[in-house]
Amino acid sequence: MSREPISLIRTTPPTPSWVGEEFSKAFLELSRRSDLPTLMRTHKFIGAMEDRRAGGLWLKQRFGEELDPDRIIVTNGTQNALFITLATMVGQGGLLLTERLSYYGFRRLATFLGIDVRAIEMDDDGALPEAFEAVCKTDKPKALFLSPTLHNPTTIIMSRERRLALAEIARRYGVIIIEDDVYGLLPKDAPPPIAALAPDVTWHATGLAKCIAPGLRIGYLVAPDAAASARAFQPFNTTSTWFVSPVSAAIVEHWIGNGVGRRILDAVREEAAARQVIARSILGRASYLAKPEALHLWLDLPAGLTQEGFISACNQQGVVLRSGEMFAVSNEQASPAIRIVLGSPSNREELTTALEGVAAVLKAA
């Protein structure tokens, strides 16, 4: 085809057209700071107090209250927050549990650290409590990884009751929950994070990559308490590969303080909802899982159509996809489905073109 291929791979939030102007304003404000030379020479190992306070104010939208800044470590993105938790709370040789479908990037981090990853069964409300407890009885898992709000890849939003049930089992057997809440602010209506319901057993990782902009590279790790946060930071206190850029931190503090961050979040939500409407209109009777403000959907493949065949056919339509099998802990647990990202195309017209290509492949099948 003559046009450039359209990628539906990465769950990048759609960028409001006016964000560039707000960046210009933020940089102008930064240029007026009297401490700019000092700012550029500063390592922000756990985030300065003002950064952690800004994070606590931002996370109030999920937790219902402003968090103690001493519980928060500001990191270079959500993945770094997850990495710190894995390295300090699970460690090499430790057993990590996760749902049979889960975020592949997290599992790669675990493998890199020499951590044993094992899948437990899930249903349409997420991880099954009885499956979790069965492993707790026979083995000694150190952690359970969950993304309960807009689960990646299925878009499941776990119920409050299921969150509480899993937290109670974790508490009973001395297992921590690692909660990836990077999509948590996208739904207008979602249960509180597990870290708000059961802070004593939960390490909460989130960031701005899916609700404002991934290029800011800002993540937040919320520990159960201030002492736990200090212990997690200690092994990393002489390294600088994971600390946040001072310029990014200054922009985020500015945007959270003046309300621009919330304006961007609202615009991303609105655009995500509009793109889900476009997907419904084009995909028609195709079977898939989605939520109104999700940046992706989980498409069931028609019977007889393989992942490789579907991806190849879509590629011929100028649409780039990746296999849904990458979300399965093992090939035996893979579902015949593909994640379709709606947020990555630069505009609705591009998304429409891509989805029409996907629909053509489904129709031919």
mmCIF file of all heavy atoms in Angstrom, residues 6-12 104 152 183 210 295-296 311 315 319-323 326-327 338-345:
data_model
loop_
_atom_site.group_PDB
_atom_site.id
_atom_site.type_symbol
_atom_site.label_atom_id
_atom_site.label_comp_id
_atom_site.label_asym_id
_atom_site.label_seq_id
_atom_site.Cartn_x
_atom_site.Cartn_y
_atom_site.Cartn_z
ATOM 1 N N ILE A 6 0.006 1.784 9.773
ATOM 2 C CA ILE A 6 -0.517 2.380 11.002
ATOM 3 C C ILE A 6 -0.350 1.369 12.126
ATOM 4 O O ILE A 6 -0.826 0.239 12.034
ATOM 5 C CB ILE A 6 -1.998 2.761 10.840
ATOM 6 C CG1 ILE A 6 -2.159 3.763 9.695
ATOM 7 C CG2 ILE A 6 -2.541 3.354 12.147
ATOM 8 C CD1 ILE A 6 -3.615 4.036 9.344
ATOM 9 N N SER A 7 0.321 1.766 13.173
ATOM 10 C CA SER A 7 0.593 0.865 14.292
ATOM 11 C C SER A 7 -0.515 0.936 15.336
ATOM 12 O O SER A 7 -0.911 2.025 15.771
ATOM 13 C CB SER A 7 1.932 1.220 14.953
ATOM 14 O OG SER A 7 2.134 0.434 16.114
ATOM 15 N N LEU A 8 -1.006 -0.237 15.719
ATOM 16 C CA LEU A 8 -1.977 -0.355 16.808
ATOM 17 C C LEU A 8 -1.365 -1.212 17.918
ATOM 18 O O LEU A 8 -1.979 -2.142 18.424
ATOM 19 C CB LEU A 8 -3.283 -0.983 16.299
ATOM 20 C CG LEU A 8 -4.002 -0.254 15.169
ATOM 21 C CD1 LEU A 8 -5.300 -0.966 14.813
ATOM 22 C CD2 LEU A 8 -4.275 1.205 15.528
ATOM 23 N N ILE A 9 -0.121 -0.876 18.283
ATOM 24 C CA ILE A 9 0.653 -1.699 19.207
ATOM 25 C C ILE A 9 0.754 -1.086 20.598
ATOM 26 O O ILE A 9 0.423 -1.721 21.599
ATOM 27 C CB ILE A 9 2.060 -1.967 18.633
ATOM 28 C CG1 ILE A 9 1.961 -2.930 17.447
ATOM 29 C CG2 ILE A 9 2.981 -2.545 19.705
ATOM 30 C CD1 ILE A 9 3.297 -3.206 16.787
ATOM 31 N N ARG A 10 1.226 0.149 20.680
ATOM 32 C CA ARG A 10 1.529 0.736 21.988
ATOM 33 C C ARG A 10 0.360 1.559 22.512
ATOM 34 O O ARG A 10 -0.200 2.375 21.788
ATOM 35 C CB ARG A 10 2.787 1.617 21.911
ATOM 36 C CG ARG A 10 4.036 0.831 21.562
ATOM 37 C CD ARG A 10 5.294 1.675 21.739
ATOM 38 N NE ARG A 10 6.481 0.921 21.396
ATOM 39 C CZ ARG A 10 7.090 0.059 22.198
ATOM 40 N NH1 ARG A 10 6.611 -0.160 23.408
ATOM 41 N NH2 ARG A 10 8.174 -0.591 21.810
ATOM 42 N N THR A 11 0.045 1.375 23.804
ATOM 43 C CA THR A 11 -1.087 2.090 24.400
ATOM 44 C C THR A 11 -0.684 3.514 24.796
ATOM 45 O O THR A 11 -0.675 3.878 25.971
ATOM 46 C CB THR A 11 -1.637 1.335 25.626
ATOM 47 O OG1 THR A 11 -0.558 1.015 26.512
ATOM 48 C CG2 THR A 11 -2.366 0.086 25.216
ATOM 49 N N THR A 12 -0.358 4.298 23.800
ATOM 50 C CA THR A 12 -0.025 5.694 24.013
ATOM 51 C C THR A 12 -1.308 6.512 24.072
ATOM 52 O O THR A 12 -2.194 6.334 23.228
ATOM 53 C CB THR A 12 0.848 6.217 22.860
ATOM 54 O OG1 THR A 12 1.973 5.361 22.717
ATOM 55 C CG2 THR A 12 1.302 7.639 23.114
ATOM 56 N N TYR A 104 3.206 -8.101 29.705
ATOM 57 C CA TYR A 104 4.428 -8.832 29.363
ATOM 58 C C TYR A 104 5.680 -8.087 29.810
ATOM 59 O O TYR A 104 6.690 -8.713 30.161
ATOM 60 C CB TYR A 104 4.476 -9.089 27.850
ATOM 61 C CG TYR A 104 4.482 -7.831 27.013
ATOM 62 C CD1 TYR A 104 5.664 -7.193 26.670
ATOM 63 C CD2 TYR A 104 3.285 -7.273 26.582
ATOM 64 C CE1 TYR A 104 5.646 -6.031 25.923
ATOM 65 C CE2 TYR A 104 3.270 -6.113 25.822
ATOM 66 C CZ TYR A 104 4.452 -5.494 25.501
ATOM 67 O OH TYR A 104 4.437 -4.339 24.770
ATOM 68 N N ASN A 152 -4.521 -5.103 31.623
ATOM 69 C CA ASN A 152 -3.795 -5.244 30.360
ATOM 70 C C ASN A 152 -3.504 -6.725 30.130
ATOM 71 O O ASN A 152 -2.763 -7.315 30.905
ATOM 72 C CB ASN A 152 -2.482 -4.455 30.447
ATOM 73 C CG ASN A 152 -1.748 -4.357 29.128
ATOM 74 O OD1 ASN A 152 -2.276 -4.690 28.079
ATOM 75 N ND2 ASN A 152 -0.506 -3.893 29.203
ATOM 76 N N TYR A 183 -3.321 2.597 34.418
ATOM 77 C CA TYR A 183 -4.542 2.991 33.708
ATOM 78 C C TYR A 183 -5.639 3.467 34.664
ATOM 79 O O TYR A 183 -6.754 3.758 34.239
ATOM 80 C CB TYR A 183 -5.101 1.811 32.906
ATOM 81 C CG TYR A 183 -4.183 1.298 31.819
ATOM 82 C CD1 TYR A 183 -3.445 0.137 32.001
ATOM 83 C CD2 TYR A 183 -4.057 1.964 30.602
ATOM 84 C CE1 TYR A 183 -2.610 -0.349 31.003
ATOM 85 C CE2 TYR A 183 -3.219 1.490 29.599
ATOM 86 C CZ TYR A 183 -2.497 0.335 29.809
ATOM 87 O OH TYR A 183 -1.669 -0.141 28.822
ATOM 88 N N LYS A 210 0.008 6.914 30.700
ATOM 89 C CA LYS A 210 -1.233 6.568 30.005
ATOM 90 C C LYS A 210 -2.326 7.615 30.166
ATOM 91 O O LYS A 210 -3.362 7.520 29.500
ATOM 92 C CB LYS A 210 -1.767 5.220 30.507
ATOM 93 C CG LYS A 210 -0.746 4.098 30.503
ATOM 94 C CD LYS A 210 -0.139 3.851 29.134
ATOM 95 C CE LYS A 210 0.837 2.685 29.159
ATOM 96 N NZ LYS A 210 1.505 2.485 27.860
ATOM 97 N N LEU A 295 -7.818 2.573 26.439
ATOM 98 C CA LEU A 295 -6.993 2.903 25.278
ATOM 99 C C LEU A 295 -6.840 1.718 24.333
ATOM 100 O O LEU A 295 -6.209 1.854 23.281
ATOM 101 C CB LEU A 295 -5.605 3.364 25.735
ATOM 102 C CG LEU A 295 -5.551 4.651 26.562
ATOM 103 C CD1 LEU A 295 -4.124 4.929 27.021
ATOM 104 C CD2 LEU A 295 -6.108 5.835 25.782
ATOM 105 N N HIS A 296 -7.383 0.560 24.692
ATOM 106 C CA HIS A 296 -7.261 -0.621 23.840
ATOM 107 C C HIS A 296 -8.508 -1.489 23.991
ATOM 108 O O HIS A 296 -9.391 -1.202 24.823
ATOM 109 C CB HIS A 296 -6.001 -1.420 24.202
ATOM 110 C CG HIS A 296 -6.031 -2.012 25.580
ATOM 111 N ND1 HIS A 296 -5.673 -1.304 26.711
ATOM 112 C CD2 HIS A 296 -6.368 -3.252 26.028
ATOM 113 C CE1 HIS A 296 -5.787 -2.070 27.780
ATOM 114 N NE2 HIS A 296 -6.210 -3.263 27.393
ATOM 115 N N ILE A 311 -2.365 -11.424 11.921
ATOM 116 C CA ILE A 311 -1.388 -10.324 11.912
ATOM 117 C C ILE A 311 -0.871 -10.090 10.497
ATOM 118 O O ILE A 311 -0.726 -8.944 10.046
ATOM 119 C CB ILE A 311 -0.237 -10.635 12.886
ATOM 120 C CG1 ILE A 311 -0.744 -10.581 14.330
ATOM 121 C CG2 ILE A 311 0.929 -9.655 12.693
ATOM 122 C CD1 ILE A 311 0.243 -11.104 15.349
ATOM 123 N N ASN A 315 -1.398 -6.785 8.262
ATOM 124 C CA ASN A 315 -0.222 -6.088 7.740
ATOM 125 C C ASN A 315 -0.399 -5.756 6.254
ATOM 126 O O ASN A 315 0.021 -4.692 5.776
ATOM 127 C CB ASN A 315 1.021 -6.945 7.949
ATOM 128 C CG ASN A 315 2.301 -6.193 7.640
ATOM 129 O OD1 ASN A 315 2.555 -5.140 8.232
ATOM 130 N ND2 ASN A 315 3.104 -6.713 6.733
ATOM 131 N N VAL A 319 -1.863 -2.323 8.544
ATOM 132 C CA VAL A 319 -2.080 -2.212 9.988
ATOM 133 C C VAL A 319 -1.081 -3.107 10.712
ATOM 134 O O VAL A 319 -0.990 -4.309 10.409
ATOM 135 C CB VAL A 319 -3.520 -2.613 10.373
ATOM 136 C CG1 VAL A 319 -3.731 -2.443 11.874
ATOM 137 C CG2 VAL A 319 -4.527 -1.792 9.587
ATOM 138 N N VAL A 320 -0.348 -2.540 11.666
ATOM 139 C CA VAL A 320 0.680 -3.281 12.388
ATOM 140 C C VAL A 320 0.133 -3.717 13.747
ATOM 141 O O VAL A 320 -0.344 -2.892 14.534
ATOM 142 C CB VAL A 320 1.952 -2.430 12.587
ATOM 143 C CG1 VAL A 320 3.021 -3.221 13.323
ATOM 144 C CG2 VAL A 320 2.470 -1.934 11.248
ATOM 145 N N LEU A 321 0.190 -5.029 14.012
ATOM 146 C CA LEU A 321 -0.268 -5.600 15.274
ATOM 147 C C LEU A 321 0.782 -6.559 15.814
ATOM 148 O O LEU A 321 1.674 -6.992 15.085
ATOM 149 C CB LEU A 321 -1.590 -6.362 15.070
ATOM 150 C CG LEU A 321 -2.808 -5.551 14.639
ATOM 151 C CD1 LEU A 321 -3.950 -6.480 14.258
ATOM 152 C CD2 LEU A 321 -3.249 -4.598 15.745
ATOM 153 N N ARG A 322 0.651 -6.884 17.106
ATOM 154 C CA ARG A 322 1.499 -7.906 17.712
ATOM 155 C C ARG A 322 0.638 -9.027 18.261
ATOM 156 O O ARG A 322 -0.528 -8.825 18.590
ATOM 157 C CB ARG A 322 2.357 -7.304 18.842
ATOM 158 C CG ARG A 322 3.511 -6.484 18.348
ATOM 159 C CD ARG A 322 4.500 -6.176 19.447
ATOM 160 N NE ARG A 322 3.922 -5.304 20.468
ATOM 161 C CZ ARG A 322 4.664 -4.518 21.259
ATOM 162 N NH1 ARG A 322 5.974 -4.504 21.131
ATOM 163 N NH2 ARG A 322 4.101 -3.750 22.168
ATOM 164 N N SER A 323 1.235 -10.192 18.374
ATOM 165 C CA SER A 323 0.505 -11.369 18.812
ATOM 166 C C SER A 323 -0.026 -11.202 20.235
ATOM 167 O O SER A 323 0.681 -10.729 21.136
ATOM 168 C CB SER A 323 1.412 -12.601 18.751
ATOM 169 O OG SER A 323 0.769 -13.715 19.329
ATOM 170 N N MET A 326 1.722 -12.920 23.513
ATOM 171 C CA MET A 326 2.774 -12.343 24.354
ATOM 172 C C MET A 326 2.259 -11.987 25.746
ATOM 173 O O MET A 326 3.036 -11.817 26.684
ATOM 174 C CB MET A 326 3.377 -11.112 23.685
ATOM 175 C CG MET A 326 2.443 -9.937 23.556
ATOM 176 S SD MET A 326 3.096 -8.647 22.459
ATOM 177 C CE MET A 326 4.671 -8.321 23.196
ATOM 178 N N PHE A 327 0.955 -11.891 25.920
ATOM 179 C CA PHE A 327 0.388 -11.578 27.227
ATOM 180 C C PHE A 327 0.178 -12.820 28.088
ATOM 181 O O PHE A 327 -0.152 -12.699 29.270
ATOM 182 C CB PHE A 327 -0.940 -10.836 27.055
ATOM 183 C CG PHE A 327 -0.797 -9.496 26.399
ATOM 184 C CD1 PHE A 327 -1.017 -9.353 25.044
ATOM 185 C CD2 PHE A 327 -0.422 -8.386 27.136
ATOM 186 C CE1 PHE A 327 -0.882 -8.120 24.427
ATOM 187 C CE2 PHE A 327 -0.275 -7.149 26.533
ATOM 188 C CZ PHE A 327 -0.500 -7.011 25.171
ATOM 189 N N ILE A 338 -6.342 -10.807 20.231
ATOM 190 C CA ILE A 338 -5.341 -9.811 19.873
ATOM 191 C C ILE A 338 -5.694 -8.497 20.564
ATOM 192 O O ILE A 338 -6.862 -8.096 20.591
ATOM 193 C CB ILE A 338 -5.305 -9.569 18.346
ATOM 194 C CG1 ILE A 338 -4.800 -10.805 17.600
ATOM 195 C CG2 ILE A 338 -4.469 -8.354 17.992
ATOM 196 C CD1 ILE A 338 -3.311 -10.945 17.544
ATOM 197 N N ARG A 339 -4.676 -7.824 21.115
ATOM 198 C CA ARG A 339 -4.923 -6.491 21.668
ATOM 199 C C ARG A 339 -4.880 -5.466 20.533
ATOM 200 O O ARG A 339 -3.896 -5.388 19.800
ATOM 201 C CB ARG A 339 -3.880 -6.133 22.732
ATOM 202 C CG ARG A 339 -4.224 -4.852 23.486
ATOM 203 C CD ARG A 339 -3.175 -4.478 24.504
ATOM 204 N NE ARG A 339 -1.947 -3.990 23.868
ATOM 205 C CZ ARG A 339 -0.932 -3.427 24.516
ATOM 206 N NH1 ARG A 339 -0.987 -3.311 25.838
ATOM 207 N NH2 ARG A 339 0.151 -3.023 23.876
ATOM 208 N N ILE A 340 -5.941 -4.689 20.419
ATOM 209 C CA ILE A 340 -6.035 -3.628 19.425
ATOM 210 C C ILE A 340 -5.960 -2.288 20.164
ATOM 211 O O ILE A 340 -6.827 -1.968 20.979
ATOM 212 C CB ILE A 340 -7.360 -3.685 18.637
ATOM 213 C CG1 ILE A 340 -7.571 -5.069 18.015
ATOM 214 C CG2 ILE A 340 -7.410 -2.585 17.592
ATOM 215 C CD1 ILE A 340 -6.646 -5.387 16.873
ATOM 216 N N VAL A 341 -4.911 -1.520 19.897
ATOM 217 C CA VAL A 341 -4.718 -0.246 20.587
ATOM 218 C C VAL A 341 -5.410 0.864 19.802
ATOM 219 O O VAL A 341 -5.210 1.010 18.600
ATOM 220 C CB VAL A 341 -3.218 0.056 20.752
ATOM 221 C CG1 VAL A 341 -3.018 1.469 21.288
ATOM 222 C CG2 VAL A 341 -2.586 -0.953 21.695
ATOM 223 N N LEU A 342 -6.211 1.653 20.503
ATOM 224 C CA LEU A 342 -6.950 2.744 19.875
ATOM 225 C C LEU A 342 -6.287 4.098 20.103
ATOM 226 O O LEU A 342 -6.572 5.065 19.388
ATOM 227 C CB LEU A 342 -8.384 2.798 20.413
ATOM 228 C CG LEU A 342 -9.186 1.491 20.367
ATOM 229 C CD1 LEU A 342 -10.588 1.725 20.916
ATOM 230 C CD2 LEU A 342 -9.243 0.930 18.963
ATOM 231 N N GLY A 343 -5.411 4.184 21.079
ATOM 232 C CA GLY A 343 -4.833 5.474 21.442
ATOM 233 C C GLY A 343 -3.649 5.898 20.601
ATOM 234 O O GLY A 343 -3.362 7.096 20.499
ATOM 235 N N SER A 344 -2.941 4.941 19.995
ATOM 236 C CA SER A 344 -1.682 5.287 19.331
ATOM 237 C C SER A 344 -1.813 6.061 18.018
ATOM 238 O O SER A 344 -0.957 6.894 17.723
ATOM 239 C CB SER A 344 -0.846 4.022 19.108
ATOM 240 O OG SER A 344 -1.571 3.056 18.383
ATOM 241 N N PRO A 345 -2.837 5.824 17.157
ATOM 242 C CA PRO A 345 -2.944 6.649 15.951
ATOM 243 C C PRO A 345 -3.027 8.134 16.288
ATOM 244 O O PRO A 345 -3.613 8.533 17.309
ATOM 245 C CB PRO A 345 -4.235 6.152 15.301
ATOM 246 C CG PRO A 345 -4.367 4.734 15.761
ATOM 247 C CD PRO A 345 -3.870 4.764 17.175
#
